C-alpha cells in the first residue's frame, strides 16, 4: 500500500492506494461503493483478476474512506472523490485509464470521466444509484445520520455514525479531524452534500448534467440494474445508457436480485461483503478494454 497527497479544491488530502499488476499494463481504476474501502471483499480479488490478464489496476480509499484523509470540500462528496481519482491518475502518470466502478463508485467514475475525459480511455458502470427512493436513501446514509448526531451531541457523537465508522476506526488522523470540526460548520456541509442528491428531471445521476454526459465519448459499458433494486434502479441504468449514445447495455453476470440478496445476507453475517460478485464482471471489462 502507498500514500499520495492530492490537491482537492485547494486542500492537500492524503489518499491511500495500491497498484495491482505489472508496470506497463493497460491501466484500470476501480472504485467501490458506499464509503467502503479497497479492502472490501471482492475489490482486491477483482483487481487481481484484471492484473492476471495483463492490466495495471489502481485501487484506493477515497476521501472519508478507509485510511485516507477527511475532506469536506466541494459541492458534493462524489465531486470531491472524483477529483481525488483524477488527481491520483495524474500523479501516478497512468495516462488514459479505464475507469470502472459500481454503486457510489459508478457516480465517482462518471464525474471523473466527464470532468477529465482526457484521463478516461474506457468507462464501465454498474449499480448506478438513482430515482427518488434510492437518492433519498443516500442523503440519509451519507449525510443525515451524521448531521443529526452532530446536532444532538457535537462531533463526539458523529463517531457513532454508521457511514463514517470504518474510516474513523482505521485512521486516527480522520478521527482527530472530525473531532476538531465545529458542529455547525459540519452540519452545513452535510446539508450541502445532501442537497446534491435531490432528484432531477434532466439527469439520472447527481452532479451530472446532459452536457456532462455529452463529454463521455469513450467506449462505455453500462450494466443494467434489475427492477427489484430500489437503490440502483433499472430506470436509472437505462437513462444513463440513453445519455451515452455509444454505450453498450449489458446484463450483469449475477443473480437478478443480487443487491437485495447481498444486503440481507451481509447484514445477517452469512456473506462477507456487498461486492463479492464483482470479479464476475472481469471478462466483460476485458472486452471493453479491447474496444
Amino acid at each position: 500500500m502507498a500514500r499520495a497527497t492530492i490537491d482537492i479544491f485547494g486542500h492537500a488530502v492524503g489518499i491511500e492506494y495500491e497498484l495491482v499488476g505489472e508496470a506497463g499494463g493497460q491501466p484500470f481504476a476501480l472504485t467501490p461503493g458506499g464509503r467502503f474501502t479497497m479492502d472490501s471483499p471482492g475489490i482486491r480479488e477483482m483487481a487481481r483478476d484484471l492484473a492476471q490478464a495483463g492490466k495495471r489496476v489502481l485501487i484506493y480509499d477515497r476521501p472519508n474512506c478507509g485510511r485516507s484523509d477527511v475532506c469536506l470540500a466541494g459541492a458534493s462528496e462524489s465531486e470531491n472523490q472524483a477529483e481525488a481519482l483524477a488527481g491520483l491518475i495524474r500523479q501516478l502518470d497512468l495516462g488514459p485509464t479505464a475507469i470502472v466502478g459500481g454503486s457510489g463508485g459508478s457516480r465517482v467514475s462518471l464525474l471523473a470521466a466527464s470532468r477529465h475525459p482526457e484521463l478516461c480511455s474506457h468507462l464501465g458502470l454498474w449499480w448506478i444509484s438513482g430515482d427518488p427512493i434510492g437518492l433519498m436513501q443516500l442523503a440519509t446514509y451519507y449525510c443525515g445520520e451524521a448531521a443529526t448526531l452532530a446536532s444532538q451531541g457535537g462531533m463526539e457523537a458523529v463517531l457513532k455514525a454508521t457511514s463514517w465508522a470504518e474510516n474513523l476506526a482505521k485512521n486516527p488522523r480522520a478521527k482527530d479531524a472530525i473531532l476538531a470540526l465545529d458542529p455547525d460548520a459540519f452540519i452545513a456541509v452535510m446539508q450541502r452534500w445532501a442537497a446534491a442528491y435531490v432528484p432531477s428531471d434532466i439527469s439520472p445521476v447527481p452532479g451530472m448534467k446532459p452536457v456532462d454526459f455529452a463529454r463521455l465519448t469513450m467506449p462505455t459499458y453500462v450494466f443494467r440494474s434489475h427492477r427489484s433494486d430500489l437503490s440502483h434502479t433499472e430506470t436509472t441504468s437505462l437513462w444513463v445508457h440513453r445519455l451515452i449514445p455509444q454505450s453498450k447495455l449489458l446484463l450483469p453476470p449475477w443473480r437478478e436480485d443480487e443487491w437485495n440478496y447481498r444486503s440481507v445476507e451481509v447484514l445477517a453475517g452469512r456473506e462477507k461483503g456487498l461486492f463479492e460478485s464483482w470479479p464476475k464482471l472481469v471478462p466483460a471489462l476485458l472486452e471493453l478494454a479491447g474496444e
Side-chain angles (χ1 to χ4, degrees):
M1 239 176 262
R3 188 174 180 86
T5 300
I6 304 298
D7 181 274
I8 302 176
F9 303 122
H11 298 262
V13 182
I15 302 294
E16 293 283 325
Y17 73 92
E18 185 173 333
L19 285 169
V20 184
E22 296 297 323
Q26 183 182 13
F28 268 74
L30 170 61
T31 306
R35 286 206 182 100
F36 293 101
T37 74
M38 59 181 160
D39 296 324
S40 300
I43 301 302
R44 186 166 275 102
E45 293 83 353
M46 188 174 181
R48 288 172 179 163
D49 289 351
L50 286 165
Q52 287 175 0
K55 310 305 178 185
R56 176 80 152 160
V57 188
L58 170 65
I59 54 175
Y60 66 108
D61 289 346
R62 289 158 289 159
N64 311 324
C65 304
R67 296 179 178 84
S68 291
D69 288 350
V70 167
C71 181
L72 302 183
S76 73
E77 188 169 27
S78 299
E79 176 185 289
N80 172 317
Q81 294 175 347
E83 291 303 307
L85 173 56
L88 260 182
I89 292 172
R90 280 204 179 92
Q91 189 168 133
L92 298 175
D93 199 24
L94 295 179
T97 297
I99 296 177
V100 302
S103 195
S106 68
R107 190 166 55 254
V108 170
S109 297
L110 276 164
L111 285 162
S114 66
R115 288 167 170 265
H116 308 277
E118 75 283 359
L119 297 179
C120 184
S121 63
H122 303 78
L123 186 61
L125 310 165
W126 57 95
W127 284 1
I128 308 170
S129 304
D131 278 343
I133 290 173
L135 295 179
M136 286 187 284
Q137 287 175 341
L138 296 184
T140 300
Y141 176 73
Y142 287 125
C143 308
E145 179 196 20
T148 300
L149 288 169
S151 73
Q152 295 169 344
M155 297 312 297
E156 186 75 32
V158 175
L159 302 182
K160 302 174 185 176
T162 307
S163 65
W164 287 89
E166 188 171 11
N167 182 224
L168 302 181
K170 287 185 172 182
N171 188 348
R173 288 185 302 272
K175 182 177 179 180
D176 291 342
I178 286 290
L179 290 174
L181 293 171
D182 174 73
D184 289 337
F186 177 77
I187 291 168
V189 172
M190 293 300 101
Q191 292 279 20
R192 183 173 74 245
W193 283 4
Y197 295 112
V198 173
S200 166
D201 291 332
I202 63 170
S203 171
V205 177
M208 294 286 294
K209 298 181 176 66
V211 67
D212 300 316
F213 282 99
R215 287 194 285 270
L216 301 175
T217 59
M218 65 288 296
T220 299
Y221 281 7
V222 176
F223 292 90
R224 183 173 185 155
S225 292
H226 190 259
R227 63 181 179 275
S228 66
D229 186 346
L230 296 186
S231 296
H232 324 95
T233 66
E234 181 182 43
T235 55
T236 302
S237 60
L238 294 175
W239 193 355
V240 169
H241 170 55
R242 289 196 302 271
L243 288 170
I244 309 176
Q246 84 287 358
S247 67
K248 291 185 179 179
L249 187 68
L250 295 85
L251 290 175
W254 46 58
R255 52 189 295 162
E256 287 187 338
D257 64 342
E258 179 72 12
W259 172 255
N260 291 337
Y261 166 77
R262 288 275 162 201
S263 298
V264 171
E265 294 299 299
V266 169
L267 188 63
R270 292 187 290 266
E271 293 284 356
K272 294 179 182 178
L274 295 170
F275 314 137
E276 281 186 275
S277 294
W278 284 17
K280 294 179 180 180
L281 292 167
V282 167
L285 294 178
L286 291 174
E287 180 181 316
L288 167 65
E291 292 198 9

